[in-house]
Amino acid sequence: MNVHWDASMGAGQLLTLLIMAIALGMDAFSLGVGIGMRGIRLRRIALLSTIIALFHMLMPLLGMFAGQYVSGLLGDVATHAAGVLLLLLGGHMVYNSFRGGGESAKIVNHSSLWGMLIFAFSVSIDSFSVGVSLGMFALDVMLTVLMFGLAGGLMSVLGLMLGRSASRTLGDYGEACGGIILLTFGLLFVF
């Protein structure tokens, strides 16, 4: 794999990577809206978005290195695992919104480091699958992972901010709406 800037990289290849980075970041955006609806502080948005950006860099990098070994099997397995995780998180959010339980009743607290890591992993697992595919091509690895990380981080900030704004309007129903969004994406990944 090519790990340095390649000046001969064509505009078409660069545009393709940009589109892929934005597409992968859309998961972070959409799911960020769901998490943002629960209510989230600006400091947590910055921290969560940074973690997501790092995962969006690490996962495709790991995928690129694994690409030549497991490309056929891993794409479906990774997508299904992400879907099941999102179904669990979304179902738990919807359950808690109707139950009216406090923070101690929540299994996954998105304001905790563990909750942020689970969320970042769930929105970046597709990046691993894409990395597996990209691992078969001669790409500029550093540019690729930086583009994926930047797009994932920026898209998550936008989604979290949008969800945060919507939560003020929706009030108590924000968590239920966020859970429904997570459930929907989980179903899309599983089926």
Side-chain angles (χ1 to χ4, degrees):
M1 269 188 272
N2 187 7
V3 293
H4 66 280
W5 171 254
D6 185 3
S8 65
M9 179 182 274
Q13 213 175 17
L14 194 59
L15 182 62
T16 300
L17 284 177
L18 180 63
I19 291 170
M20 288 175 74
I22 291 171
L24 289 172
M26 289 304 291
D27 279 349
F29 172 81
S30 301
L31 299 174
V33 170
I35 295 299
M37 285 185 177
R38 290 184 65 185
I40 187 167
R41 296 177 181 254
L42 292 176
R43 183 179 296 168
R44 291 288 178 189
I45 289 174
L47 180 59
L48 182 55
S49 297
T50 300
I51 293 171
I52 289 170
L54 291 173
F55 269 79
H56 266 75
M57 292 169 59
L58 179 65
M59 297 300 280
L61 185 61
L62 292 173
M64 285 180 197
F65 289 127
Q68 57 189 333
Y69 302 110
V70 291
S71 62
L73 172 66
L74 198 53
D76 291 339
V77 172
T79 301
H80 284 32
V84 168
L85 183 59
L86 291 174
L87 285 171
L88 292 173
L89 291 172
H92 183 69
M93 283 175 66
V94 170
Y95 172 76
N96 276 330
S97 70
F98 291 116
R99 183 171 168 238
E103 284 296 312
S104 62
K106 296 180 180 175
I107 295 170
V108 177
N109 179 0
H110 295 298
S111 63
S112 72
L113 179 60
W114 179 247
M116 285 189 238
L117 291 173
I118 290 173
F119 180 70
F121 178 76
S122 70
V123 299
S124 64
I125 192 123
D126 284 349
S127 297
F128 182 83
S129 299
V130 169
V132 169
S133 300
L134 293 177
M136 297 181 191
F137 300 101
L139 296 173
D140 186 322
V141 173
M142 186 64 76
L143 178 64
T144 302
V145 297
L146 286 175
M147 287 177 73
F148 283 15
L150 183 63
L154 287 175
M155 298 298 279
S156 65
V157 166
L158 292 172
L160 289 164
M161 292 297 290
L162 180 64
R164 183 174 185 246
S165 296
S167 73
R168 292 183 187 134
T169 305
L170 295 172
D172 293 337
Y173 299 104
E175 185 173 6
C177 291
I180 290 169
I181 290 172
L182 293 178
L183 280 170
T184 302
F185 275 92
L187 288 172
L188 290 174
F189 287 156
V190 170
F191 301 108

